[in-house]
Amino acid sequence: MSLLSIYLKNLSRNKRSVFTADFFVADCSEVILQQVFPRNASYDLVSCQFALHYAFESINQARRILSNISSLLRENGVFIATIPNAYEIVRRSNEALNIHAQNSASQSHAEEIRFGNPVYSVTFPATSFSVRKQRNQTNDAIEVTFPLFGAKYNFFLDGVVDCPEFVVYPPLLDKLAADYKLVPIQRPISFAKNFYNTLCSRSSPQNPKDLLKRMEALETWHINHDYSCSNNAEYSHLIDHQNNSHKDGYSFGTLSKSDWEVTSMYSLVAYQKKSNTV
């Protein structure tokens, strides 16, 4: 029996249908996709995962990708995307900037804004932001501001990516999307929060743990094993869990605190194409 036959047999056994796919290579923020795709191509769903923010280097690129999405969607079709969590990025940038100001002997302008943990880092060069003083009743603070387009930062994720990215402001995305008949059907929601809520509220009879196993999303961790890449601080939640369960010798599927923090750096957005909007 060939490997293909075994694969198809396993698909049938798991009740997973076989489908065909077409692949086209193009920069969606530069070219008109209707000139690349087959004539009259249209779709019920467009998914853009961890990529939309690259188009926000300029307004022309952002408009081009949204125009492409809308032109390929049927009426009432849905567009979903995972983008960097702009609110969390701004919050952590302000936090890092104020820590720098408190620790700096001089009032010189920060050469960069940098924050992260052992797994990831975000670094804004000085050319990507400006700073203003913010006064309140308790103390003076400084606040960072970014341009609407071209708010460039370098994103590093251990073993995955190390490249420039751009901030996407959800209200700006909503405004641009409306020009292309794309209406938000869900406000931006933290990826970590959404993923957790989805697991806890699934109506499917499938155990959420099975989904995590299929995705190979969890790290196997054992309190009695000495992992060179781990430390107790990163897995204190597992130690507490094991102590409370009074079970020794068990392995757990988990994420380190640093890994879980990375998931909060993303948001989910969803839009529906509506031609008859006011």
Side-chain angles (χ1 to χ4, degrees):
M1 183 179 292
S2 68
L3 290 177
L4 178 59
S5 298
I6 296 174
Y7 176 69
L8 294 176
K9 184 177 181 180
N10 288 336
L11 282 178
S12 177
R13 183 180 303 163
N14 295 329
K15 298 181 179 180
R16 296 168 63 186
S17 59
V18 180
F19 58 88
T20 61
D22 297 313
F23 297 89
F24 303 90
V25 179
D27 186 339
C28 300
S29 68
E30 296 286 351
V31 303
I32 300 174
L33 289 185
Q34 285 183 317
Q35 299 175 358
V36 178
F37 283 24
R39 187 176 181 181
N40 298 323
S42 62
Y43 305 92
D44 294 312
L45 173 69
V46 172
S47 174
C48 186
Q49 301 304 313
F50 306 96
L52 183 66
H53 51 287
Y54 294 109
F56 276 71
E57 182 176 5
S58 70
I59 186 172
N60 290 335
Q61 289 172 277
R63 285 194 174 279
R64 171 56 62 201
I65 196 169
L66 291 171
S67 174
N68 279 327
I69 291 166
S70 180
S71 66
L72 292 170
L73 272 178
R74 299 187 181 106
E75 182 69 8
N76 296 319
V78 173
F79 165 55
I80 58 175
T82 302
I83 61 175
N85 186 338
Y87 300 117
E88 187 66 12
I89 289 175
V90 172
R91 184 190 71 80
R92 296 190 192 185
S93 295
N94 279 319
E95 187 178 74
L97 192 63
N98 279 278
I99 291 175
H100 168 80
Q102 293 170 9
N103 296 336
S104 177
S106 66
Q107 297 298 318
S108 60
H109 181 58
E111 293 297 325
E112 65 179 21
I113 296 176
R114 181 183 177 89
F115 60 87
N117 63 33
V119 174
Y120 85 99
S121 67
V122 169
T123 306
F124 283 95
T127 54
S128 290
F129 64 91
S130 57
V131 175
R132 65 182 180 184
K133 289 186 177 181
Q134 189 77 11
R135 293 189 174 183
N136 53 48
Q137 295 179 347
T138 56
N139 56 8
D140 291 342
I142 53 178
E143 186 177 73
V144 63
T145 59
F146 299 106
L148 293 178
F149 298 95
K152 181 179 179 180
Y153 61 92
N154 193 80
F155 181 64
F156 169 79
L157 183 59
D158 188 29
V160 180
V161 67
D162 185 4
C163 67
E165 299 187 349
F166 300 90
V167 177
V168 180
Y169 291 102
L172 174 62
L173 177 58
D174 286 350
K175 186 174 180 61
L176 290 177
D179 292 342
Y180 301 96
K181 304 174 183 178
L182 298 173
V183 180
I185 55 178
Q186 175 179 294
R187 66 177 184 175
I189 184 169
S190 165
F191 185 82
K193 181 179 179 182
N194 186 73
F195 191 67
Y196 176 79
N197 288 348
T198 299
L199 289 179
C200 293
S201 61
R202 282 172 58 89
S203 58
S204 169
Q206 182 185 23
N207 190 324
K209 292 181 180 179
D210 294 336
L211 176 61
L212 291 174
K213 289 178 181 178
R214 284 178 56 188
M215 295 171 62
E216 298 182 355
L218 300 179
E219 174 186 355
T220 301
W221 190 87
H222 194 296
I223 190 172
N224 294 326
H225 288 185
D226 181 19
Y227 292 96
S228 59
C229 61
S230 305
N231 61 69
N232 286 349
E234 286 284 342
Y235 297 91
S236 59
H237 52 298
L238 263 297
I239 298 173
D240 293 340
H241 176 75
Q242 186 164 17
N243 290 338
N244 293 333
S245 65
H246 304 292
K247 294 179 180 179
D248 294 326
Y250 274 70
S251 296
F252 298 94
T254 187
L255 290 176
S256 69
K257 289 184 176 181
S258 292
D259 285 331
W260 188 249
E261 183 180 329
V262 174
T263 67
S264 69
M265 292 296 295
Y266 294 95
S267 291
L268 305 178
V269 293
Y271 296 84
Q272 189 169 32
K273 184 175 180 179
K274 293 285 188 181
S275 297
N276 299 321
T277 57
V278 179

